[in-house]
Amino acid sequence: MLKRYLPIFDWIGNYNQRTLTSDLIAALIVTIMLIPQSLAYALLAGLPPEVGLYASILPLVAYAIFGTSRTLSVGPVAVVSLMTAAAVGNLALQGSDEYIAAAIILAFMSGLILLIMGFLKLGMLANFLSHPVISGFITASGLIIAASQLKHILGIKADGSNLWDLIVSLFSELPSTNIPTLVIGSFATGFLFWSRKYLKSYLLNKGIGHALAEILAKAGPVLAIALTTLAAWGLDLQQHGVQLVGAIPSGLPSLTLPQFEYNIWQELLVSAVLISIVGFVESVSVAQTLAAKRRQRISPNQELIGLGASNIAASISGGFPVTGGFSRSVVNFDAGAETPAAGAFTAIGIALAALTLTPLLFFLPKATLAATIIVAVLSLVDMGALKRTWNFSRSDFFAMLATILLTLAEGVELGIIAGVGLSILLHLYRTSKPHSAIVGRVPGTEHFRNIDRHHVETDNHILTLRVDESLYFANARYLEDRVYDLVMSNPNIKHLILMCPAVNFIDASALESLEAINHRLNDSGVTLNLSEVKGPIMDRLRRTHFVDELTGHIFLSQYEAWNTLRSERVARSVGDL
Amino acid sequence: MLKRYLPIFDWIGNYNQRTLTSDLIAALIVTIMLIPQSLAYALLAGLPPEVGLYASILPLVAYAIFGTSRTLSVGPVAVVSLMTAAAVGNLALQGSDEYIAAAIILAFMSGLILLIMGFLKLGMLANFLSHPVISGFITASGLIIAASQLKHILGIKADGSNLWDLIVSLFSELPSTNIPTLVIGSFATGFLFWSRKYLKSYLLNKGIGHALAEILAKAGPVLAIALTTLAAWGLDLQQHGVQLVGAIPSGLPSLTLPQFEYNIWQELLVSAVLISIVGFVESVSVAQTLAAKRRQRISPNQELIGLGASNIAASISGGFPVTGGFSRSVVNFDAGAETPAAGAFTAIGIALAALTLTPLLFFLPKATLAATIIVAVLSLVDMGALKRTWNFSRSDFFAMLATILLTLAEGVELGIIAGVGLSILLHLYRTSKPHSAIVGRVPGTEHFRNIDRHHVETDNHILTLRVDESLYFANARYLEDRVYDLVMSNPNIKHLILMCPAVNFIDASALESLEAINHRLNDSGVTLNLSEVKGPIMDRLRRTHFVDELTGHIFLSQYEAWNTLRSERVARSVGDL
């Protein structure tokens, strides 16, 4: 029981010198990555930079205790930060105390929702986010995030919760671009793109050892921060209109409970649900990928509890919604993290940064943080996925396209809701017209095959319809239509057999349709028979009146149905003589 | 083309003396039934009684031209009238001009929506209303309707859009019950229940001919109206507080267009969609039942156009939303109606009533109309369906119960939306954990069966998983979990075969899962193979990279997969020697 809800006991017993070393090295690299990211994502969420640091301390410790992934790196991530900005932005003005309080409430609600889902084992809810919808959503979010950060690169004010508003706002403010900011921003963006691609091989060429080059390459953003901060300080860029991060309170966050104000909770509910599910999906898919590489397992329902605990921890320590980040987790994995202790060590690293480094960040230009975000999110944009999905499945393509367009045009929440709704509707539509075939007997065998594809034996008075789908409300009426059409166009038939080898369940709607078919065929003098009904379905049917009222029989095999109905007819026609 | 959208041409050519006689008799009986019903349902919808008559003239003519059912009786029906009251009641005060105008707009919108659905062939949308949800919704609506009419029987004022509010309101007003109204109301209710059950046999016992007894039995409501109207006039009951229908303008409705006011249209949109779908489902299911009895066909998509035209006709002639009524259609069918002309003749009957009978209705007590409604709707209440559904399917039962409770507690619109949402969620949940089995070879055959149920041959290095469901977003992740669990718990295996005879499609999410499974198994040194993939799925897979990247093979049959992988292994171990 304790082990089930506290996965920490799975590994803490075997902890040794070697794992400690591995975890410490990984923690160092991730800390170097996380400092600029946590500041940047706080900026993206519209929050003061220290909130990003606060969200990167306790949540990591909580996840180390409750999470099942050995290598997941929890903390602020781009998409969830954007969703936080969208949710909280409806309630309060950026920069106000209410805004921060709402973000803290949002983290708490998201934590509660994840915990409840975890205890109720509702991890399957994440399944409703189909891959094309997630992929489209993340691509669109990446574009919105990148666009939203351009104002910091240009040194202008611009706003908007969708791409169109953002672009209009940017264009109208373009004339007031601040040149020194643009220089800093362009330099940082260019340097980050370059360091991401070439810094490692450059360092290797310079004769630096592989391990060190690896670490230094990850420190690209830190280097960009150091260089631009120095420039801002040395050239007194604030006087020239460059926006700086400014004073960040030094020290650790104080623990508090979120405000319990009914109205705010109610307003944030939908957003909290969406953030929880999106965060969970993003986190679980990276955790699963990494776990599989080492033949480890994660438990999705326990992951809900781990992420729930992280968000509660974020909330009570002044942070905002967090989840497992994709790129950081990969880095953590590659750097050799072996247990969640690496996350706890990262938390210590960030805590030290919060205690000591904040004065150094006074001169950090916001444009540098914006550049960090832009470079990070553009790697999430995957327009090629549209083409790949188009090739494979048109309906998935439309769900994806709708998600992208609606997210861009109407914002993140409507985009994802529409995507989920559309993929469910398209799925129901797809199963509402199931494949079915008239079958006949392959001569000399007990096999029955589609009469359109095989040379088969048929009988004037017997018609067999094989339905290749479970029967439920979305296709029950289609089945009725199909059967009536068949009876209309084959006036000679006396027996209809529904062959059900691919029917995995029958719901109450389909049962009513079968009853209606039975009665209506009876009015037309045709018996209804079933064959090859699976065991569990048979058990259910036996509890209904349908079996008693059925004008024909239920046969174990189609061959038996065929033989019985044919010989009955022969017997009757002999009797007629 | 003309014939396709104007089904009237299907039958008007063969119209003759005999069909004319049949249709006229049916029309007479339905007219007698429809006069009190149209007045009563207008009352239920909160509209003046003449609106009920107006909704029973032009709509019937429109349906006769555009509808495909020979015997459907279109006009005001109970559930749609209740939904109209709920929708319009949010916008305007009952009795105000705005209220009537909104009901007219609602009919117009509903007509437009039905027409659009018809032209886009979206009749399948009605499939999303599962039988248990419809049944629960109609039962709950019946209870609400009956409760809402009690105030007229008691002669008090009471209001509420859900059952609880209605009951509280009724109880608090109970002391001011008007005794003469209660007497009239109780008499009418008792008489109607009696005449529904016993009047026909009573008349037959009195020696009246069968056909006449049939007609007179249907005239029970007319008789109740006549008796109570006479009583109200003779005893001057209005002076004693009995509410009367009062002055009804005599004559035919004038034709007008509905108001085009953006706000009202927007407010009514959701209601109009729900009314359209509920009305369509009710109408189509009775039309199909009746058509099948005579081996006729109706076209659901053309029915949308027929009902759409009816509602537009209702709107431009001062009526309110209409659809095909269950009981009236059965009466029409039983009375021998052969073509939709019977509906047109009924329209003439109602038009004559509107021209001549309205002065006679001045003294008609509202309690009598309420009694008509109560007796009609209580036959719709089917609590036994709950038990039957419980026996057959728990998840359908919960969808039904939720629909009933939410409709009773929160009103019609929320009830039906929740019911639809829940049945879709439950369906997705059901398919999210598909049945799957590890299979082995039945010795000496080419058959592969569940290892838990049959004595089969297996191989240490080969594992075959048969999945009995199409693979799509709701179960893609489950498949991943299942496969990883299998590989974890069978560390010896070298080849995994997914056997897909029951997989009818694979969507983009499942494809991503297959790709992930392929990569992760590769990391674990296991090949992924597929067998018995259906043709159309194979065609799609060939358009992706999955086939190229697959570490194993795709085999036509499971037997071939088994043979090939076994001999490969033998070949390799021979090579190792």
Side-chain angles (χ1 to χ4, degrees), chain B residues 5-220:
Chain B
Y5 285 115
L6 291 172
I8 188 174
F9 290 111
D10 282 345
W11 53 267
I12 198 106
N14 304 322
Y15 211 73
N16 57 32
Q17 183 73 38
R18 198 189 54 74
T19 36
L20 176 67
T21 313
S22 305
D23 284 350
L24 278 176
I25 292 173
L28 176 67
I29 296 177
V30 173
T31 304
I32 287 170
M33 221 181 142
L34 185 51
I35 292 172
Q37 281 194 358
S38 62
L39 300 171
Y41 292 146
L43 185 75
L44 170 57
L47 293 162
E50 68 270 19
V51 175
L53 294 173
Y54 299 166
S56 310
I57 304 173
L58 269 200
L60 283 69
V61 178
Y63 185 82
I65 299 171
F66 295 102
T68 59
S69 164
R70 303 287 169 100
T71 46
L72 192 71
S73 172
V74 170
V77 305
V79 172
V80 166
S81 301
L82 173 69
M83 294 178 81
T84 300
V88 177
N90 289 333
L91 285 188
L93 219 62
Q94 262 196 30
S96 66
D97 284 349
E98 291 76 29
Y99 192 94
I100 301 176
I104 289 174
I105 294 173
L106 192 64
F108 195 83
M109 290 177 75
S110 171
L112 270 188
I113 292 166
L114 288 163
L115 284 178
I116 292 169
M117 283 171 66
F119 286 119
L120 297 180
K121 308 212 171 304
L122 289 179
M124 53 80 63
L125 277 182
N127 294 348
F128 297 161
L129 278 180
S130 70
H131 276 273
V133 169
I134 299 170
S135 157
F137 178 69
I138 287 182
T139 287
S141 300
L143 290 174
I144 292 183
I145 293 171
S148 75
Q149 298 307 305
L150 279 179
K151 64 178 175 192
H152 293 299
I153 302 281
L154 296 165
I156 58 182
K157 286 197 191 310
D159 234 338
S161 66
N162 61 52
L163 194 64
W164 180 246
D165 287 357
L166 271 169
I167 289 174
V168 168
S169 175
L170 281 172
F171 265 93
S172 67
E173 292 290 328
L174 211 51
S176 52
T177 297
N178 179 273
I179 301 299
T181 306
L182 181 59
V183 171
I184 289 274
S186 308
F187 164 76
T189 311
F191 176 77
L192 288 171
F193 269 119
W194 174 82
S195 71
R196 190 172 253 249
K197 265 198 155 162
Y198 305 112
L199 183 56
K200 193 175 148 191
S201 50
Y202 175 80
L203 291 172
L204 289 173
N205 281 343
K206 289 280 169 196
I208 291 175
H210 200 276
L212 190 60
E214 187 80 56
I215 295 184
L216 288 177
K218 295 284 178 296

Side-chain angles (χ1 to χ4, degrees), chain B residues 513-529:
Chain B
S513 286
L514 287 177
E515 284 172 346
I517 290 171
N518 185 42
H519 286 135
R520 292 178 197 173
L521 289 190
N522 192 25
D523 290 342
S524 317
V526 176
T527 72
L528 174 66
N529 304 270

Side-chain angles (χ1 to χ4, degrees), chain A residues 121-122 124-132 134-135 281 284-285 288-290 292-293 295-298 300 388-396 420 423-425 427-433 435 447 453 466 468-470 472-478 480-481 484-485 487-488 490-491 493 502 504-513 520-521 523-526 534-537 540-541 543-545, chain B residues 121-122 124-132 134-135 281 284-285 288-290 292-293 295-298 300 388-396 420 423-425 427-433 435 447 453 468-470 472-478 480-481 484-485 487-488 490-491 493 501-502 504-513 520-521 523-526 534-537 540-541 543-545:
Chain A
K121 308 212 174 300
L122 289 179
M124 53 79 64
L125 276 183
N127 294 348
F128 296 161
L129 278 179
S130 69
H131 276 272
I134 300 169
S135 159
V281 169
V284 149
S285 53
Q288 264 174 342
T289 305
L290 297 177
K293 290 199 180 189
R295 279 216 180 199
Q296 292 164 348
R297 293 280 300 142
I298 63 150
R388 289 197 302 278
T389 309
W390 167 265
N391 281 336
F392 183 66
S393 156
R394 297 290 185 275
S395 66
D396 278 317
V420 170
S423 50
I424 292 176
L425 282 186
H427 165 68
L428 294 179
Y429 180 73
R430 192 161 37 194
T431 54
S432 73
K433 294 185 176 176
H435 183 252
H447 289 293
R453 299 198 187 189
R466 192 192 71 215
D468 294 346
E469 187 77 58
S470 293
Y472 76 110
F473 62 87
N475 57 31
R477 234 176 292 265
Y478 175 81
E480 290 189 46
D481 282 349
Y484 302 147
D485 274 342
V487 174
M488 280 314 131
N490 294 278
I493 68 161
N504 297 311
F505 63 82
I506 291 181
D507 78 351
S509 304
L511 177 70
E512 291 234 17
S513 286
R520 292 181 197 173
L521 289 191
D523 290 341
S524 319
V526 177
K534 296 191 173 180
I537 299 179
R540 279 164 168 246
L541 287 180
R543 297 200 296 266
T544 68
H545 293 296
Chain B
K121 308 212 171 304
L122 289 179
M124 53 80 63
L125 277 182
N127 294 348
F128 297 161
L129 278 180
S130 70
H131 276 273
I134 299 170
S135 157
V281 169
V284 150
S285 52
Q288 265 175 341
T289 306
L290 297 178
K293 290 200 180 187
R295 280 217 180 196
Q296 291 164 347
R297 294 278 301 142
I298 64 149
R388 289 196 302 279
T389 308
W390 168 264
N391 281 337
F392 183 67
S393 157
R394 297 292 186 275
S395 66
D396 278 316
V420 169
S423 51
I424 291 177
L425 282 186
H427 165 68
L428 293 179
Y429 181 73
R430 191 161 38 191
T431 52
S432 73
K433 294 183 175 176
H435 183 251
H447 289 292
R453 300 203 185 184
D468 294 345
E469 187 76 61
S470 292
Y472 76 110
F473 61 87
N475 58 29
R477 236 176 292 265
Y478 175 82
E480 289 189 48
D481 282 349
Y484 301 147
D485 275 341
V487 174
M488 283 313 136
N490 295 279
I493 67 159
N504 297 311
F505 63 81
I506 292 181
D507 79 351
S509 303
L511 178 69
E512 292 234 16
S513 286
R520 292 178 197 173
L521 289 190
D523 290 342
S524 317
V526 176
K534 296 191 173 179
I537 299 180
R540 279 165 167 245
L541 287 179
R543 297 199 296 265
T544 68
H545 293 299

Side-chain angles (χ1 to χ4, degrees), chain A residues 215-239:
Chain A
I215 296 183
L216 287 177
K218 295 282 180 293
V222 173
L223 207 58
I225 284 178
L227 292 175
T228 54
T229 303
L230 275 176
W233 170 73
L235 304 172
D236 198 9
L237 289 181
Q238 191 166 26
Q239 296 297 359

